């Protein structure tokens, strides 16, 4: 391809697996990640959703200490 300009944002990738008390994956949980020093609603908020086995991937999280919120 030529003649296309785009900009990639740098950031970390947060990956993992959500499980219940019995080790079974939790499907459909919503994850929110933001820098630990930011309030809700500020820029720098990233989302992901857990898959059938509980695995998730949140792309573009700012490097450093983060606060992660999980809801189901």
């Amino acid at each position: 391809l030529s003649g296309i300009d785009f900009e990639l944002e740098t950031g970390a990738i947060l990956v993992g697996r959500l499980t219940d008390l019995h080790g079974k994956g939790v499907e459909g949980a919503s994850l929110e990640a933001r820098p630990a020093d930011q309030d809700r609603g500020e820029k720098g908020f990233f989302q992901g959703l857990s898959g059938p086995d509980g695995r998730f991937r949140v792309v573009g999280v700012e490097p450093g200490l983060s606060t992660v919120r999980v809801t189901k």
Side-chain angles (χ1 to χ4, degrees):
L1 294 173
S2 64
I4 299 174
D5 294 327
F6 59 92
E7 184 176 324
L8 298 176
E9 294 184 18
T10 60
I13 300 173
L14 177 65
V15 295
R17 183 170 182 253
L18 298 174
T19 60
D20 62 17
L21 294 175
H22 305 287
K24 182 179 177 186
V26 177
E27 180 179 6
S30 175
L31 292 96
E32 302 174 355
R34 74 183 74 255
D37 60 351
Q38 282 189 347
D39 292 327
R40 284 190 67 122
E42 291 187 41
K43 190 175 181 180
F45 165 67
F46 303 92
Q47 289 185 300
L49 192 65
S50 63
D53 63 352
R55 294 189 189 279
F56 64 86
R57 178 181 169 110
V58 182
V59 178
V61 177
E62 293 184 20
L65 188 61
S66 293
T67 298
V68 178
R69 179 179 169 198
V70 178
T71 55
K72 173 73 175 153

